[in-house]
């Protein structure tokens, strides 16, 4: 069992995950932010490896990705930075990014480097289910990595079942079909969609993401799921602050308390 | 050798649908329905009617006599520049708008580089009374101002793409993000043979009318539908795929695709994807793209906005890998000189994109009865500003 799976064994609700982009706001920020987030009480982390053309992202994460690339962040450098990860951070860590940088690195090499660094899982929104199953799944399993797929309100029951079957971490439930950084959709249909997914009795925990920005949206998501992920709101906060590390405890407290 | 798409959406190693889950339902719907819809008699009837009576097809195949004399071969121009809206792009938008209607979509989005695809999309949306939103790079909005005005006049909303290099690739990103955020009522009319499966195949089918007509016209004019050479320029590759489509299996016909070398292939300001690119994923398909060692997409450069794209369609990547098509690089200067030459010798001002194919003639040697067909993908009206500056007219 990796750390992510252990977490879900122990904790069943109000799980809080934070996304941030590696190398943003400065190149050396990656591990410092991870450390500060653990201290502040985050349950697990998603560290973004930047891509020049992040299709699924809104302006905030587009910007953090662009700045990170300008700062010199690459997958090679990220894996060097992560050599220190497990001496300083104990909570589960996932890497999140797009297919092309991973493919250039070599998927097998990528999985091995991630496992060596103590990473527990990977989220690559534009890696197709079919290609994962047929080509890459073995590399992930061999290295003990949980691969995470997204589900949207438009995803069919049949496909959700397939995703559940191929997943061994959690199911990433999108709060609506949108890019990152929009506000939370709180319509009745969205409630029905969460209920629809739950009624399929998935074996994997459900974590809601996209549009979770504060206590209200976090609580709302937790009515339906085991936890929620905050991305753009956190990235915006550390991007605006000079002394960004000092803002992290308060950011988490405001969501939790 | 098989050059066509397989049932999984791949051309050899290239293609597929590398898309986030948010786009999956729309792409799946399209994949499951488009072949069925375009095979229906009412689709075919409307498509043919609009191509004939609205677009003005068939486009002429013109024997360019003075050019032929200069180069010592029989040079034919496939006159896509004479289509309504001035380029081949409209063949695809007519097809996709009928398809979108049959899918019950109410809102159309598209990306555009030179503005030709944006204009062709705005045109068919006006024709059908559908809402139209066009994404265009901020840089391209400046260098293709007349096309922006055309789109607006036909009722389209033009939204500047301000991310990245502010050109075609970024406009494509923005259009895909729009589709993610509007998953139900919107159809995305992609303007080239790029994007996730089934787009490359669908767009090449709609553009294949170019080579279908060319073969008929060659028979009428020469008695033989097998030319020696067929040339076209490549941005994403739609006019080239349309021009090559019915010649792919005629292995004696040499197919040549001209990419934009910009200031020179190794100048750092180029869009010569087949030379500078490596295999990877761009805009939803596995293809060849210009990228760094870390997999970041490299900003391309070409004087022609329509060729200023860091990738090529997956079928082109395949045709390049299996060497069915020869990919050549043409610099800005070579293309500009070819534009001037065609204007002076035949009274036809070509789009700078199309002039990249014309410029290749300078580099070839012919036998006197060689038959050469060049796809004149568009007219140069949109480029007058660039011509005026470059030639100090
Ligand atoms: C006249 C013309 N030719 C060629 C192109 C390049 O596109 P493609 O390679 O898809 O034909 C464009 C694109 O805008 C164009 O306007």
């Amino acid at each position: 069992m990796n750390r992510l799976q252990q977490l879900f064994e122990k904790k069943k609700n109000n799980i809080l995950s934070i996304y941030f982009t590696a190398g943003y706001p400065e190149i050396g920020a990656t591990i410092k932010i991870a450390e500060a987030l653990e201290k502040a009480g985050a349950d697990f982390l998603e560290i973004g490896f930047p891509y020049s053309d992040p299709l699924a992202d809104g302006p905030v994460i587009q910007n953090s990705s662009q700045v990170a690339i300008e700062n010199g962040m690459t997958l090679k450098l990220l894996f060097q930075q992560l050599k220190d990860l497990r001496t300083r951070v104990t909570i589960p860590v996932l890497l999140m990014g797009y297919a092309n940088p991973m493919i250039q690195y070599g998927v097998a090499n990528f999985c091995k480097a991630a496992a060596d660094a103590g990473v527990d899982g990977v989220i690559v929104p534009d890696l197709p289910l079919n290609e994962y199953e047929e080509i890459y799944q073995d590399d992930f399993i061999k290295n003990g990595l949980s691969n995470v797929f997204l589900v949207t309100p438009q995803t069919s029951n049949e496909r959700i079942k397939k995703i559940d079957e191929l997943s061994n971490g959690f199911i990433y439930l999108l709060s609506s079909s949108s890019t990152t950084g929009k506000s939370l959709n709180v319509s009745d249909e969205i409630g029905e969609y969460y209920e629809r997914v739950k009624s399929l009795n998935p074996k994997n925990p459900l974590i809601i993401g996209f549009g979770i920005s504060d206590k209200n949206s976090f609580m709302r998501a937790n009515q339906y799921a085991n936890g929620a992920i905050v991305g753009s709101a956190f990235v915006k906060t550390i991007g605006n602050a000079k002394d960004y590390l000092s803002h992290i405890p308060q950011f988490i407290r405001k969501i939790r308390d | 050798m098989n050059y066509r798409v397989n049932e999984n959406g791949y051309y050899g190693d290239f293609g597929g649908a590398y898309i986030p889950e948010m786009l999956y339902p729309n792409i799946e719907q399209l994949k499951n329905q488009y072949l069925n819809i375009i095979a229906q008699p009412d689709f075919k009837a409307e498509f043919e009617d609009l191509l004939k009576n609205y677009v003005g097809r068939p486009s002429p195949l013109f024997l360019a006599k003075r050019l032929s004399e200069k180069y010592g071969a029989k040079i034919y121009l496939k006159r896509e520049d004479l289509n309504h809206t001035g380029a081949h792009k409209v063949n695809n938008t007519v097809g996709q708008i009928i398809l979108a209607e049959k899918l019950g979509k109410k809102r159309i989005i598209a990306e555009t580089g030179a503005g030709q695809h944006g204009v062709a999309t705005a045109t068919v949306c006006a024709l059908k009374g559908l809402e139209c939103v066009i994404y265009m790079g901020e840089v391209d909005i400046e260098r293709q101002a007349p096309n922006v005005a055309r789109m607006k006049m036909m009722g389209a909303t033009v939204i500047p793409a301000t991310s990245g290099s502010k050109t075609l690739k970024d406009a494509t990103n923005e259009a895909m993000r729009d589709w993610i955020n509007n998953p139900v009522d919107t159809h995305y009319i992609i303007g080239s043979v790029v994007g996730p499966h089934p787009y490359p195949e669908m767009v090449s089918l709609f553009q294949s009318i170019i080579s279908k007509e060319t073969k008929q016209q060659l028979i009428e004019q020469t008695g033989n539908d097998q030319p020696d050479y067929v040339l076209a320029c490549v941005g994403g590759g739609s006019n080239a795929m349309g021009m090559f489509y019915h010649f792919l299996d005629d292995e004696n016909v040499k197919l040549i695709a001209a990419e934009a070398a910009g200031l020179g292939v190794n100048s750092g300001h180029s869009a010569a994807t087949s030379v500078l690119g490596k295999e990877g994923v761009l805009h939803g398909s596995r293809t060849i793209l210009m990228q760094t060692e870390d997999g970041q997409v490299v900003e391309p450069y070409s004087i022609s906005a329509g060729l200023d794209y860091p990738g090529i369609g997956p079928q082109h990547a395949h045709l390049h890998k299996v060497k069915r098509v020869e990919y050549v690089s043409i610099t800005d200067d070579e293309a500009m000189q070819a534009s001037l030459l065609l204007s002076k010798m035949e009274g036809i001002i070509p789009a700078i994109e199309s002039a990249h194919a014309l410029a290749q003639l300078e580099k070839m040697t012919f036998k006197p009865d060689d038959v050469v067909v060049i796809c004149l993908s568009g007219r140069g009206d949109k480029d007058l500003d660039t011509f005026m500056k470059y030639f100090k007219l």
Side-chain angles (χ1 to χ4, degrees):
Chain A
M1 248 200 276
N2 63 36
R3 291 171 202 83
L4 191 64
Q5 292 156 338
Q6 286 169 23
L7 169 70
F8 294 134
E9 284 281 302
K10 281 193 304 236
K11 193 162 178 178
K12 302 291 182 195
N13 42 43
N14 290 321
I15 296 170
L16 173 63
S17 172
I18 303 287
Y19 166 93
F20 64 97
T21 307
Y24 177 84
E26 52 183 354
I27 191 74
T30 317
I31 299 284
K32 286 191 270 184
I33 291 175
E35 213 171 22
L37 280 168
E38 173 165 6
K39 277 209 186 83
D43 291 306
F44 72 94
L45 305 176
E46 287 157 40
I47 301 181
F49 51 98
Y51 178 48
S52 53
D53 295 75
L55 276 186
D57 285 300
V60 171
I61 295 177
Q62 283 174 42
N63 176 62
S64 64
S65 304
Q66 195 178 335
V67 171
I69 292 168
E70 282 161 14
N71 285 346
M73 183 47 72
T74 62
L75 264 178
K76 233 187 219 157
L77 179 61
L78 177 59
F79 284 127
Q80 276 172 23
Q81 293 185 344
L82 292 181
K83 285 215 164 81
D84 273 353
L85 177 70
R86 287 306 169 199
T87 60
R88 293 167 65 179
V89 177
T90 66
I91 55 176
V93 169
L94 292 90
L95 297 183
M96 183 165 187
Y98 290 81
N100 197 52
M102 184 172 79
I103 289 171
Q104 290 315 308
Y105 197 89
V107 176
N109 292 341
F110 175 93
C111 288
K112 177 151 192 325
D116 287 349
V119 167
D120 304 287
V122 179
I123 310 173
V124 183
D126 61 342
L127 183 68
L129 204 62
N130 274 346
E131 275 73 2
Y132 172 73
E133 190 177 11
E134 281 168 25
I135 310 171
Y136 301 122
Q137 186 171 212
D138 286 350
D139 290 320
F140 281 71
I141 291 177
K142 212 163 47 197
N143 288 291
L145 296 171
S146 299
N147 187 35
V148 176
F149 294 100
L150 312 186
V151 160
T152 84
Q154 278 73 38
T155 308
S156 69
N157 287 352
E158 199 187 332
R159 192 164 164 86
I160 294 170
K161 284 183 192 157
K162 173 95 192 166
I163 285 171
D164 187 42
E165 202 181 291
L166 283 180
S167 301
N168 57 358
F170 62 93
I171 293 177
Y172 195 136
L173 276 192
L174 261 59
S175 61
S176 65
S177 177
S178 74
T179 42
T180 54
K182 301 255 157 149
S183 54
L184 188 67
N185 183 338
V186 292
S187 66
D188 290 349
E189 295 99 77
I190 288 298
E192 282 163 26
Y193 142 69
Y194 295 143
E195 295 298 347
R196 172 169 71 90
V197 178
K198 273 206 311 208
S199 73
L200 300 172
N201 283 319
K203 70 176 178 5
N204 290 280
L206 304 176
I207 307 287
I208 293 177
F210 286 38
I212 312 297
S213 59
D214 53 15
K215 183 170 178 150
N216 257 340
S217 43
F218 181 69
M219 303 253 292
R220 194 166 171 98
N222 276 293
Q223 287 172 12
Y224 299 100
N226 305 86
I229 300 160
V230 179
S232 295
F234 179 73
V235 171
K236 207 176 188 168
T237 299
I238 58 171
N240 288 340
K242 234 182 158 180
D243 185 13
Y244 58 93
L245 289 175
S246 69
H247 289 253
I248 291 176
Q250 196 196 7
F251 183 89
I252 300 294
R253 217 179 308 123
K254 272 196 182 152
I255 292 175
R256 281 267 196 227
D257 302 341
Chain B
M1 182 59 84
N2 183 8
Y3 305 117
R4 314 280 167 183
V5 76
N6 71 18
E7 66 279 9
N8 297 322
Y10 278 83
Y11 308 85
D13 298 335
F14 303 103
Y18 287 72
I19 45 167
E21 188 63 28
M22 298 79 105
L23 290 175
Y24 182 83
N26 272 321
I27 294 295
E28 194 65 7
Q29 181 193 31
L30 204 58
K31 188 178 94 183
N32 291 335
Q33 297 191 23
Y34 88 102
L35 283 174
N36 208 344
I37 291 175
I38 67 178
Q40 305 278 323
D42 60 335
F43 180 97
K44 281 186 169 164
E46 187 176 0
F47 187 50
E48 278 163 25
D49 175 62
L50 285 176
L51 287 184
K52 178 162 182 261
N53 298 311
Y54 188 66
V55 174
R57 301 201 73 90
S59 67
L61 183 71
F62 173 68
L63 174 62
K65 291 219 180 72
R66 295 188 65 203
L67 212 60
S68 297
E69 215 165 281
K70 174 173 162 60
Y71 290 115
K74 292 207 180 69
I75 295 173
Y76 290 85
L77 304 177
K78 181 59 174 161
R79 298 289 309 273
E80 294 300 305
D81 61 314
L82 293 177
N83 292 339
H84 179 43
T85 70
H88 68 292
K89 297 282 180 186
V90 72
N91 303 326
N92 168 43
T93 61
V94 165
Q96 285 204 48
I97 201 79
I98 306 172
L99 183 70
E101 236 184 358
K102 305 244 181 249
L103 291 169
K105 305 291 181 174
K106 302 276 179 272
R107 179 173 174 273
I108 300 296
I109 55 172
E111 85 296 340
T112 195
Q116 287 306 109
H117 175 58
V119 167
T121 303
T123 300
V124 294
C125 287
L127 182 72
K128 292 286 188 180
L130 291 176
E131 185 188 346
C132 180
V133 175
I134 305 291
Y135 290 91
M136 187 168 186
E138 215 169 41
V139 170
D140 292 336
I141 286 183
E142 242 167 71
R143 58 179 166 177
Q144 307 285 339
N147 273 344
V148 177
R150 282 188 191 104
M151 289 183 257
K152 288 184 176 164
M153 216 169 148
M154 290 184 283
T157 306
V158 181
I159 302 182
T162 56
S163 56
S165 58
K166 305 176 177 55
T167 62
L168 182 53
K169 109 180 149 65
D170 311 286
T172 308
N173 291 339
E174 290 303 328
M176 289 195 164
R177 289 181 186 122
D178 180 310
W179 211 18
I180 285 173
N181 286 297
N182 296 284
V184 180
D185 66 339
T186 297
H187 176 68
Y188 177 17
I189 300 190
I190 292 187
S192 191
V193 288
V194 302
H197 177 68
Y199 275 107
E201 188 58 17
M202 183 173 72
V203 175
S204 76
L205 274 176
F206 290 143
Q207 291 293 0
S208 67
I209 184 80
I210 300 174
S211 47
K212 188 174 167 203
E213 286 175 4
T214 300
K215 279 195 156 182
Q216 282 162 2
Q217 291 163 324
L218 279 171
I219 293 216
E220 285 159 22
Q221 295 183 32
T222 71
N224 179 356
D225 71 356
Q226 303 284 295
D228 297 282
Y229 300 95
V230 174
L231 283 80
C233 68
V234 176
S238 68
N239 87 89
M241 263 343 295
M243 187 74 246
F244 296 162
Y245 195 92
H246 290 285
F247 293 110
L248 282 177
D249 297 322
D250 303 338
E251 303 274 352
N252 290 328
V253 179
K254 295 189 189 69
L255 306 176
I256 300 174
E259 293 183 324
L263 301 184
V265 171
N266 296 313
S267 66
H269 303 275
S270 176
T273 304
S274 72
V275 186
L276 300 170
K278 282 183 300 185
E279 294 182 18
V281 171
L282 180 67
H283 293 143
S285 68
R286 210 178 240 273
T287 186
I288 302 175
L289 63 135
M290 292 164 51
Q291 55 183 316
T292 65
E293 199 187 325
D294 188 46
Q296 310 299 343
V297 182
V298 166
E299 317 283 5
Y301 162 80
S302 164
I303 194 168
S304 70
L307 304 186
D308 202 350
Y309 186 70
I312 48 175
Q315 192 170 14
H316 281 291
H318 180 56
L319 294 171
H320 175 257
K321 194 165 184 174
V322 301
K323 299 194 162 65
R324 173 63 186 100
V325 176
E326 183 190 355
Y327 291 79
V328 298
S329 314
I330 299 295
T331 64
D332 285 359
D333 289 338
E334 289 166 341
M336 294 306 272
Q337 291 309 327
S339 302
L340 196 59
L341 188 79
L342 190 74
S343 306
K344 292 232 154 98
M345 293 193 75
E346 300 287 350
I348 299 171
I349 301 175
I352 302 174
E353 288 81 5
S354 321
H356 283 72
L358 293 163
Q360 176 62 13
L361 291 171
E362 289 284 340
K363 307 183 176 184
M364 298 170 68
T365 46
F366 298 106
K367 296 193 291 298
D369 43 334
D370 277 349
V371 172
V372 182
V373 180
I374 299 177
C375 186
L376 202 66
S377 57
R379 67 178 88 127
D381 306 26
K382 69 180 175 61
D383 296 317
L384 276 183
D385 229 32
T386 312
F387 289 140
M388 281 157 71
K389 281 194 194 113
Y390 188 90
F391 294 116
K392 305 199 166 51
L393 301 170

